[in-house]
């Protein structure tokens, strides 16, 4: 994560700068769902708070087919 974020609704997750987000699903241009690795919480988060290159890698690993 690029910045700290405090959840504003029950379906959102809070996170801190530097946190890693996994299990990412893009909702639309502004929001995604994902799991904050540090806390284990899963929910919605603003996509502009996450580094795009990290997002692309997490998406790749989330959808990589099993071998």
């Amino acid at each position: 994560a690029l910045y700290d974020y405090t959840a504003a609704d029950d379906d959102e997750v809070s996170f801190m700068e530097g946190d890693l987000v996994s299990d990412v699903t893009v909702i639309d241009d502004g929001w995604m769902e994902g799991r904050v690795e540090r806390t284990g919480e899963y929910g919605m988060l603003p996509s502009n708070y996450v580094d795009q290159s990290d997002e692309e890698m997490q998406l790749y690993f989330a959808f990589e087919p099993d071998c």
Side-chain angles (χ1 to χ4, degrees):
L2 297 172
Y3 314 103
D4 293 352
Y5 180 77
T6 302
D9 289 316
D10 291 340
D11 61 348
E12 296 178 14
V13 290
S14 297
F15 51 87
M16 298 173 62
E17 180 181 348
D19 278 349
L20 298 176
V21 178
S22 63
D23 302 329
V24 174
T25 303
V26 176
I27 304 299
D28 60 31
D29 288 338
W31 290 92
M32 61 175 59
E33 289 182 329
R35 182 171 314 282
V36 179
E37 291 293 317
R38 180 178 52 83
T39 63
E41 293 182 350
Y42 184 87
M44 293 184 59
L45 56 137
S47 57
N48 60 336
Y49 279 57
V50 178
D51 184 6
Q52 184 175 8
S53 62
D54 289 344
E55 176 186 334
E56 289 171 357
M57 288 300 289
Q58 294 298 338
L59 284 169
Y60 173 77
F61 288 118
F63 296 107
E64 182 178 26
D66 293 334
C67 296

